[in-house]
Amino acid sequence: MAMQEFFSVLLPDVKRELRRGIIECSKRGLLHSTKWLAEMHHGLNDVHIDNETDEDRTFNECQLEGIAPSEYSDYFLAKSYYDVREYDRAAHAVRNCESSVPRFLHFYSTYMAREKRRLDSTTDQANLHEPNQMRDLADLLATLRMEYGKSRLDGYGIYLYGVVLKALNLNQAAEQMLVQAIRLVPMLWSAYLELSPLIMEKKKLLSLQLGGHWMRHFFMAHTYLELYLNDDGLKIYEDLQASGFSKNIYLIAQMALVYHNKRDVDKAIELYQALLESDPYRLDNVDTYSNLLFVKEMKTEMAQLAHKAVSINKYRPETCCVIGNYYSIRCDHQVAISYFQRALKLNPKYLAAWTLMGHEFMELKNTNAAIQSYRKAVEVNKRDYRAWYGLGQAYEIIKMHYYSLYYFKIAHQLRPYDSRMLVALGETYEKLDKCENAVKCYWKAIDVGDIEGIAMYKLANLHEKLGDHETAVHCYIMYCEDERAATDKQSLYQGFITLANYYEKKCEYERAAYYAYKCLDSDDRKTEAKALLKTIDWKRNAEGQKKAKTSTTVANAETSSEDEMEWELQDVRVRVPITSIATTTTSTTAAAAGSTSNSSLISLRPGRNLLEGMRRSQASRTSLTAAASSTTTTSATAVTPSTEEAPGATSGTTNPPEQPPSDDNSSMEISSVSID
C-alpha cells in the first residue's frame, strides 16, 4: 500500500510519457535529455502498452508537431547542421521561423555556438567566466527576456531562459524559470539537472512547487545525492526499483554512486561491475568507478579499464580521467596532470578533472597550482566539498591557518557528518591555540564515526600537551583498545609507549610491560621499548629483594623470639647470688605474688614454652645429681611447700624433679620453680 502511494502511476502510462518526451526532446536537439529518457524507456521493456498501433500513429504525428508546414525544409536543414555540431549554420537556417520548435532550435543553436567558442578558447589556465563570453550571453539573455515578456516562449524556451540566467549567476531568477519550465514540461530531464545545483539545503528542496508528476521522485533522489544526503536518496531509489524500474541502468549507476559517497567501496565496485556487464560500452560514471579502484589500489583492474575506455572513445573526458587516475596510482603525477588537462580541454566544466588535478599538484608540492585547480572546481560546483577541503589543506601547507579554517568550515557545512572535516577543523583550531574548540571538534568526529580512526589520538595528544595527563591516558586507552581500527600504526605505537611510561611511573609494572611489549613490533619504538622493559625488570627485582629482606627479618624475629626469651630468663636466673637462696626459699609465696620482674616474665612466657625449656635442661640436671646431694636436700625441703602454696601457680605446671641439681646449678633450679 505504501509503495502504491509513493508511485501511483501505472507503468504503461509512464512508458507512453517517456516515448513522447523522447520525440519532443529529440526534435529540439536536447540530446542529453533524449538519451536519459531513452534509457528509462528501455528499462521498461517488459511493460506492454495496449493498442500499440494507435500509439505508434499518434507518436508519428507528434514528430511534426510544433513545426509549421512551410518551415519543414528550413527546420530539417537546421536540424541536420545541429546534429553535426555546426551550430552557427543551424541557427542561421531557422532565423526567420516563427513556429515553436524551429524558434527554440534557433535560440538553442545560438547558445550552443557561444558555448562551443568559449570551450575552444578556454585553456586550463583561463577563467571559466570570461568577460567576452559573458557579453555574448548577455545579448542572448536580452532576446530571451523580450520573448518571455511577449509570452512567446513555451516550456522548452523558458528552460533555455533559465539556463542563460544561471550562466550569468542570476541564480534566483534562474530558479524561478526552471521551476516554471518543469511544471510546463515535466519530462524535460535537463531542467531538473540545471535546477539541482541551485538547491543548497533539504528544507528548500522540500519547499519547491514542482507539481505532482512522477518525475519529481528522480529529481528528489538526485538532489539528495548532490546534498550528500545519501540515505534519503538511497531510500527513494530502492522504492523506485520496487515500483518497476529494477532494470533501469540509470538507477543502478546512481545507487553505486550512493555507496561511493557512503564509503562502502566494495558494494559500489560490485554495482559498477554489474553495470559494465549489462552495458559494456557505457562510459558514463566510469571515472567514479576508476576512483574506487584507485582507493582499493587495484592496479590491474585500473589498467584494464583504461585500455577499454580508450578503445571505446579516447576523446571522452571520462576516458582521460580514467587514464589520469591510472598514472596517478603509478606515482607518475606529471603525466596524470596532462591527462586531466586533456579532459578539461574537452569539457572545462568537468568537475572531477579539476579536483583530481588539484590533488596531483599537491603531490608535486605545487601549492599555488593546486589552489588554482581547486578554485576552478568550486566555480563549476560550489557544493564540491573535496575542492573546499583541498583548499583548506593547501593553505595549511603554506601556514595560512585562518584561510585554512575558513575553507574547512565550508567543507564541514557541506559534509556535517564526515569526521575528516571535523578532524581537519580540530587540527587547525589547535594550531591557532583555540584548544577548547579543537577538543569539541575531535569529540564530535568521534561521535559521528571516525573514518580515519585518528580523532581519539589527536584528542589524547592535545590533552597531553595541556598537561591533563589523566584525561590523556584515558583517551590513549580508548584509542589503543581497538588496534585494527587504527589506520596510522605510528600513532598507535605512540599511544602504547605513552601508556607504558605512565604506568611505569605509577609502579604498575604489569600494565607497563604489557604496553611496552606491543611496541617491540615497531622499528621506531623498539629501542625505547626495550630500555623501558629493562627498567621495569630492574625495579621489579629491586622491589622483590626489598620485600624478601623484610619478610626474612620478620620471620626470623617470629621464630627466634621464644628461644631468645628463654635464654634471657636463664641469664637472669643464673645471676641470682647463692647467698640469697635461703631468703628466697623462705618467702617464695610473697616473692611470687609481689615480684615485678617475675610477674612480667610470666606474662611474657606461656606455660608450654616453660615446659619445653625445662625439658631441654633435664639432661644437665640429672648429670649433676650425685655431686650436690647434701645441699639440695635442704633446698628441696624448703621449696616444695612454697610451690604448693603459691597463688600464681597454674594447673599446667610440672613438679620439680626428685633429684635436684647441685649447688652450682641451684639458682637455675630455684628460679625455674619459683617462676612456675
Side-chain angles (χ1 to χ4, degrees), residues 371-391:
I371 289 174
Q372 293 300 318
S373 298
Y374 290 136
R375 288 193 181 280
K376 297 293 178 58
V378 170
E379 288 182 21
V380 174
N381 186 356
K382 293 183 179 180
R383 287 202 304 245
D384 182 22
Y385 77 94
R386 297 178 182 86
W388 293 110
Y389 183 73
L391 282 170

Side-chain angles (χ1 to χ4, degrees), residues 1-9 243:
M1 185 63 182
M3 191 57 62
Q4 293 177 356
E5 293 176 357
F6 169 77
F7 197 86
S8 58
V9 184
S243 299

Side-chain angles (χ1 to χ4, degrees), residues 360-412:
E360 297 305 308
F361 280 125
M362 289 287 284
E363 293 289 341
L364 294 175
K365 311 300 182 185
N366 190 344
T367 310
N368 291 331
I371 289 174
Q372 293 300 318
S373 298
Y374 290 136
R375 288 193 181 280
K376 297 293 178 58
V378 170
E379 288 182 21
V380 174
N381 186 356
K382 293 183 179 180
R383 287 202 304 245
D384 182 22
Y385 77 94
R386 297 178 182 86
W388 293 110
Y389 183 73
L391 282 170
Q393 286 183 315
Y395 280 104
E396 184 180 21
I397 289 175
I398 59 179
K399 300 188 184 306
M400 298 178 69
H401 299 304
Y402 281 101
Y403 280 83
S404 180
L405 182 65
Y406 171 76
Y407 293 121
F408 283 143
K409 280 184 177 180
I410 297 177
H412 170 59

Side-chain angles (χ1 to χ4, degrees), residues 93-312:
V94 289
R95 65 189 183 282
N96 296 322
C97 294
E98 296 295 331
S99 54
S100 61
V101 174
R103 189 71 174 159
F104 175 83
L105 188 60
H106 167 71
F107 291 133
Y108 195 62
S109 297
T110 303
Y111 170 75
M112 293 299 292
R114 302 284 194 275
E115 282 293 295
K116 185 175 183 297
R117 279 198 291 272
R118 185 174 69 85
L119 297 181
D120 291 342
S121 62
T122 299
T123 64
D124 54 290
Q125 300 296 327
N127 196 322
L128 291 176
H129 303 292
E130 295 181 4
N132 293 335
Q133 301 300 328
M134 294 301 102
R135 281 196 295 270
D136 291 340
L137 288 179
D139 295 340
L140 179 59
L141 176 65
T143 303
L144 291 171
R145 182 183 290 118
M146 182 179 63
E147 292 289 321
Y148 179 76
K150 295 179 181 179
S151 300
R152 296 183 59 186
L153 295 179
D154 59 2
Y156 296 96
I158 294 173
Y159 152 74
L160 181 59
Y161 185 23
V163 170
V164 176
L165 286 169
K166 181 184 172 185
L168 295 173
N169 290 324
L170 302 171
N171 293 332
Q172 186 174 358
E175 179 187 328
Q176 295 175 357
M177 293 298 104
L178 291 170
V179 170
Q180 185 177 350
I182 288 171
R183 293 179 66 88
L184 292 173
V185 192
M187 299 302 296
L188 182 55
W189 179 242
S190 295
Y192 295 101
L193 294 181
E194 293 289 342
L195 177 61
S196 182
L198 301 177
I199 310 303
M200 302 303 295
E201 56 184 7
K202 183 178 180 179
K203 183 178 179 181
K204 186 175 182 180
L205 173 63
L206 297 175
S207 66
L208 290 176
Q209 302 296 323
L210 299 176
H213 198 271
W214 57 267
M215 282 282 287
R216 75 183 187 279
H217 297 301
F218 291 92
F219 167 71
M220 295 283 287
H222 174 83
T223 309
Y224 276 140
L225 262 66
E226 291 289 314
L227 296 172
Y228 300 107
L229 300 173
N230 299 296
D231 292 331
D232 294 333
L234 181 61
K235 178 65 168 60
I236 295 178
Y237 286 134
E238 289 175 346
D239 290 341
L240 286 171
Q241 281 192 327
S243 299
F245 294 92
S246 58
K247 295 183 179 180
N248 190 271
I249 293 176
Y250 169 78
L251 285 185
I252 298 174
Q254 289 297 101
M255 292 181 73
L257 184 59
V258 169
Y259 287 112
H260 168 267
N261 293 342
K262 289 168 67 68
R263 301 181 68 84
D264 190 348
V265 180
D266 294 330
K267 181 65 174 178
I269 290 177
E270 179 184 344
L271 288 176
Y272 276 121
Q273 289 175 345
L275 193 64
L276 290 177
E277 288 178 4
S278 61
D279 190 359
Y281 296 99
R282 175 189 173 95
L283 290 178
D284 296 341
N285 307 113
V286 73
D287 51 344
T288 306
Y289 179 41
S290 176
N291 293 336
L292 293 168
L293 297 177
F294 184 95
V295 171
K296 296 290 286 185
E297 298 184 357
M298 301 170 69
K299 296 182 180 181
T300 304
E301 289 79 358
M302 288 187 71
Q304 294 173 352
L305 183 64
H307 283 293
K308 184 175 181 179
V310 169
S311 66
I312 296 172

